[in-house]
Amino acid sequence: AQSVTQLGSHVSVSEGALVLLRCNYSSSVPPYLFWYVQYPNQGLQLLLKYTSAATLVKGINGFEAEFKKSETSFHLTKPSAHMSDAAEYFCAVSDPGGGADGLTFGKGTHLIIQP
Amino acid sequence: DGGITQSPKYLFRKEGQNVTLSCEQNLNHDAMYWYRQDPGQGLRLIYYSQIVNDFQKGDIAEGYSVSREKKESFPLTVTSAQKNPTAFYLCASSVGTTTNEKLFFGSGTQLSVL
């Protein structure tokens, strides 16, 4: 079974500072990888996804993530944090080999932006 | 606008009671999913459906039931057998049934026990 680990349940950065949210996956084959964001009391919305086309993936709101097979990682970054980035972020993985049972999600990282 | 509508936004269940959470989509998506979200636990899959009149159990299906009589509707019933139902429930859909498809989410239902 696939799994995804998000390091750090809470990450705090200052406004204008670099945002780095970590995600590592376990899979025998390179999976499809996703980052979703959730604002309070709302559903999730897709930030970006990796499906093997390019290792550096650019998403919405200035976020990007880099797929590193050797490190089995898909960390999310943003050069300069904004107050509106405060939210819960989820990394998710699926198996490109088959199955239609949705995604496996990490436990989430709560991003706090300090003024 | 197209999207997924979940109702109600807040729901309270008495002990021994079954309750049903509604999920409707007008995106013409084939696949629909129910996830349960607990603080610090991420999202866990309850049930999913790839096509009308067919659905499969996810990782935590015990104490839940679903139906898929129409393409646009996928209601979830939390039965009295679910002893710890308090959670945030999210419904999602996707265009196809392959696992590289983007999931579209509803805004969720918060279920609490009285």
Side-chain angles (χ1 to χ4, degrees):
Chain A
Q2 297 203 68
S3 67
V4 58
T5 302
Q6 293 184 239
L7 295 177
S9 60
H10 291 77
V11 170
S12 180
V13 302
S14 299
E15 189 175 17
L18 172 71
V19 175
L20 171 60
L21 304 183
R22 300 178 187 274
C23 173
N24 289 87
Y25 66 91
S26 66
S27 175
S28 57
V29 297
Y32 296 135
L33 293 155
F34 305 77
W35 275 100
Y36 282 83
V37 61
Q38 183 182 35
Y39 298 100
N41 299 315
Q42 294 186 26
L44 281 68
Q45 55 183 281
L46 182 69
L47 274 178
L48 49 83
K49 70 175 183 179
Y50 166 77
T51 56
S52 77
T55 57
L56 182 63
V57 182
K58 293 187 183 300
I60 62 172
N61 300 338
F63 285 93
E64 63 182 36
E66 185 173 8
F67 173 72
K68 292 187 176 181
K69 183 179 177 181
S70 61
E71 299 177 7
T72 61
S73 69
F74 190 58
H75 302 332
L76 182 71
T77 60
K78 182 174 180 178
S80 178
H82 192 271
M83 295 299 290
S84 61
D85 295 327
E88 191 85 14
Y89 291 80
F90 292 93
C91 183
V93 62
S94 69
D95 182 357
D101 56 347
L103 306 176
T104 299
F105 286 85
K107 294 187 176 182
T109 297
H110 185 60
L111 178 62
I112 301 163
I113 311 296
Q114 304 280 5
Chain B
D1 287 339
I4 300 180
T5 301
Q6 289 187 242
S7 62
K9 190 168 181 63
Y10 299 96
L11 186 59
F12 296 90
R13 193 192 89 166
K14 295 180 181 178
E15 192 172 340
Q17 184 182 43
N18 293 353
V19 292
T20 297
L21 284 61
S22 171
C23 178
E24 303 278 332
Q25 54 102 356
N26 60 4
L27 300 167
N28 199 33
H29 286 174
D30 288 315
M32 296 187 75
Y33 311 82
W34 273 106
Y35 287 92
R36 170 176 169 144
Q37 184 179 16
D38 296 279
Q41 294 296 316
L43 277 69
R44 292 180 290 170
L45 183 65
I46 305 172
Y47 268 98
Y48 64 100
S49 168
Q50 302 175 43
I51 196 169
V52 174
N53 292 323
D54 186 52
F55 48 83
Q56 286 77 41
K57 293 181 179 180
D59 300 319
I60 56 165
E62 186 174 350
Y64 300 96
S65 66
V66 294
S67 63
R68 187 88 186 273
E69 297 178 0
K70 298 185 298 182
K71 186 176 184 178
E72 54 273 19
S73 178
F74 191 42
L76 173 74
T77 295
V78 183
T79 74
S80 57
Q82 174 49 247
K83 299 305 180 186
N84 184 24
T86 296
F88 191 56
Y89 290 86
L90 286 162
C91 180
S93 70
S94 61
V95 172
T97 56
T98 56
T99 53
N100 65 340
E101 292 288 342
K102 170 184 174 180
L103 287 177
F104 290 77
F105 283 86
S107 57
T109 293
Q110 175 64 51
L111 175 62
S112 302
V113 177
L114 288 176

